[in-house]
Amino acid sequence: MPEFRRVDIISDPAFLEHVTGRDHPESPERMTAILERLDRSPFAFSIRRVAPRSVEREFVSSVHNEAYLFRFEETCLSGREYFMHPDNRVCYETYRVALLSAGACLTGIDLIEDEGPALPFCCIRPPGHHAEAGLALGFCFLNNVAIAARYWQTRYGRRRIFILDWDAHHGNGIQEVFDEDPDVFYASIHEHPTFSFPGTGYADEDGNGAGKGATLNIPLAPGSGEREVLDALSCRVAPAIEAFGPEAFIVAAGFDGHVLDDMSGLSYTTRLYGQIGTYMSAWAERYCGGKVLTVLEGGYHLEALASSVEAYLAGLSMKV
Ligand SMILES: [Zn+2]
């Protein structure tokens, strides 16, 4: 029988209140599918549910500009159906729920810093990695991961943060925020931008100015699966982590690379997400006392999403 470390699932019924309308892939049902699956998982007994707090304005403002935030809030409260692009559906509650989604990441960091070996998984929506300082994109409004990285630095003095993003799509928003920042390393494995939204994340995008070299993009051809991802992790990501020397990890965990998920042409298996969890656990232990915050991004095939989250968290929390 494998043994598991405790996992803290940070979620809230309020995440169901960001209503995106019929047939929108970024649906409230995503939350329900994940949480019901985890309740039945082999490590259900080691899961603790934690309620998130809302993010304070100062931390949202560390990433997004005031004009953008004002416009986002006003759009939701005025009853419009989308913000900036028809993909980005909103309702009256969306602004409040987005603040809670970002706040969940801060709650996770507080757990890690206050309780020692915590393993928080932020089961949140709306997602964040496409949101730029002044741009909503790809169902994302507030860049949860970027806000979390700034919070970790400011509140706890963890200066060197390594972000690993293995959503099927490139996290243009995270890259934009930290493009010239040498202290936050952004590594992304995604479907090649020639074939995939949002069209950024070419291999030669490696940061600018003082941040040159602190961005690593690994685009994969459509059809790529276990072998390509495991090669990328061991041959490209591992040396980057070693050279960078992180004080904390943040994982932008998107599950839309799954072979059953039609939002990408990638062919990831459920098993692969378990293997990625094992990598993350080993790296976090080796480099920074186990400090790893995992934040949900994409993943739209409900059954594949739920089983892949379960596999990832099993890999992350299994004692070796
Ligand atoms: Zn995605």
Side-chain angles (χ1 to χ4, degrees), residues 2-9 38 41-48 117-121 273-282 284-285 290 292 294 309-320:
E3 283 190 65
F4 298 95
R5 295 165 56 196
R6 194 190 72 219
V7 175
D8 293 307
I9 307 295
L38 292 178
S41 76
F43 54 95
F45 61 89
S46 63
I47 287 174
R48 183 176 67 164
L119 276 181
F121 173 64
Y273 291 107
Q275 293 166 315
I276 295 173
T278 305
Y279 268 90
M280 285 316 311
S281 172
E285 286 300 325
V292 55
T294 304
V309 169
E310 180 186 41
Y312 169 74
L313 291 177
L316 184 72
S317 64
M318 197 179 296
K319 290 181 180 172
V320 288

Side-chain angles (χ1 to χ4, degrees), residues 129-130 167-169 256 298-300:
H129 75 152
H130 295 305
D167 187 279
H169 306 98
D256 42 7
Y300 306 99

Side-chain angles (χ1 to χ4, degrees), residues 296-312:
L296 181 66
E297 295 287 354
Y300 306 99
H301 184 287
L302 295 180
E303 175 58 30
L305 169 65
S307 62
S308 300
V309 169
E310 180 186 41
Y312 169 74

Side-chain angles (χ1 to χ4, degrees), residues 32-81:
T32 316
I34 293 170
L35 295 174
E36 286 182 353
R37 178 71 177 226
L38 292 178
D39 278 344
R40 294 185 278 114
S41 76
F43 54 95
F45 61 89
S46 63
I47 287 174
R48 183 176 67 164
R49 293 279 196 102
V50 178
R53 65 178 165 90
S54 189
V55 64
E56 294 85 355
R57 184 74 167 196
E58 66 184 290
F59 298 116
V60 191
S61 300
S62 70
V63 169
H64 298 283
N65 63 60
E66 287 295 325
Y68 172 79
L69 294 171
F70 180 76
R71 204 176 144 201
F72 174 32
E73 181 177 23
E74 183 186 53
T75 300
C76 299
L77 298 184
S78 65
R80 294 199 198 105
E81 292 191 341

Side-chain angles (χ1 to χ4, degrees), residues 13-14 29 46 70 89 91-92 95 114 116-117 133 142 155 160 171 194 203 208 239 244 259 269 282 286 298 306 312:
E29 287 75 26
S46 63
F70 180 76
R89 297 293 296 258
C91 67
Y92 185 83
Y95 182 75
D114 295 344
L142 301 181
R155 176 77 175 76
R160 296 178 70 75
T194 303
N208 283 294
F244 182 71
V259 66
T269 58
R286 178 170 176 187
Y312 169 74

Side-chain angles (χ1 to χ4, degrees), residues 243-262:
F244 182 71
E247 295 171 58
F249 283 97
I250 302 177
V251 182
F255 297 86
D256 42 7
H258 196 283
V259 66
L260 294 178
D261 197 310
D262 62 10

Side-chain angles (χ1 to χ4, degrees), residues 35-278:
L35 295 174
E36 286 182 353
R37 178 71 177 226
L38 292 178
D39 278 344
R40 294 185 278 114
S41 76
F43 54 95
F45 61 89
S46 63
I47 287 174
R48 183 176 67 164
R49 293 279 196 102
V50 178
R53 65 178 165 90
S54 189
V55 64
E56 294 85 355
R57 184 74 167 196
E58 66 184 290
F59 298 116
V60 191
S61 300
S62 70
V63 169
H64 298 283
N65 63 60
E66 287 295 325
Y68 172 79
L69 294 171
F70 180 76
R71 204 176 144 201
F72 174 32
E73 181 177 23
E74 183 186 53
T75 300
C76 299
L77 298 184
S78 65
R80 294 199 198 105
E81 292 191 341
Y82 66 87
F83 181 46
M84 297 185 122
H85 187 282
D87 279 354
N88 310 319
R89 297 293 296 258
V90 299
C91 67
Y92 185 83
E93 302 292 346
T94 298
Y95 182 75
R96 180 179 63 85
V97 178
L99 293 176
L100 195 63
S101 188
C105 303
L106 278 48
T107 299
I109 292 169
D110 292 342
L111 283 178
I112 292 170
E113 293 290 347
D114 295 344
E115 296 193 8
L119 276 181
F121 173 64
C122 302
C123 187
I124 59 175
R125 62 184 288 274
H129 75 152
H130 295 305
E132 300 186 358
L135 180 72
L137 192 72
F139 322 150
C140 301
F141 305 95
L142 301 181
N143 200 310
N144 305 314
V145 163
I147 292 168
R150 286 284 181 242
Y151 177 76
W152 220 333
Q153 292 178 313
T154 312
R155 176 77 175 76
Y156 294 103
R158 307 289 178 195
R159 195 166 63 89
R160 296 178 70 75
I161 312 280
F162 194 100
I163 298 171
L164 179 58
D165 183 339
W166 32 264
D167 187 279
H169 306 98
H170 179 240
N172 59 290
I174 303 174
Q175 177 168 300
E176 186 231 14
V177 172
F178 301 114
D179 189 47
E180 298 186 13
D181 189 335
D183 289 332
V184 178
F185 196 108
Y186 177 61
S188 179
I189 303 170
H190 48 266
E191 188 173 24
H192 197 283
T194 303
F195 306 96
S196 185
F197 180 87
T200 54
Y202 285 85
D204 63 357
E205 297 169 28
D206 62 352
N208 283 294
K212 191 77 175 168
T215 296
L216 174 63
N217 281 302
I218 307 174
L220 301 180
S224 295
E226 283 187 15
R227 187 171 54 82
E228 289 80 5
V229 172
L230 295 176
D231 278 356
L233 291 174
S234 57
C235 301
R236 306 288 311 282
V237 177
I241 295 170
E242 173 74 28
F244 182 71
E247 295 171 58
F249 283 97
I250 302 177
V251 182
F255 297 86
D256 42 7
H258 196 283
V259 66
L260 294 178
D261 197 310
D262 62 10
M263 291 289 257
S264 84
L266 296 170
S267 300
Y268 298 177
T269 58
T270 303
R271 185 177 70 170
L272 173 61
Y273 291 107
Q275 293 166 315
I276 295 173
T278 305

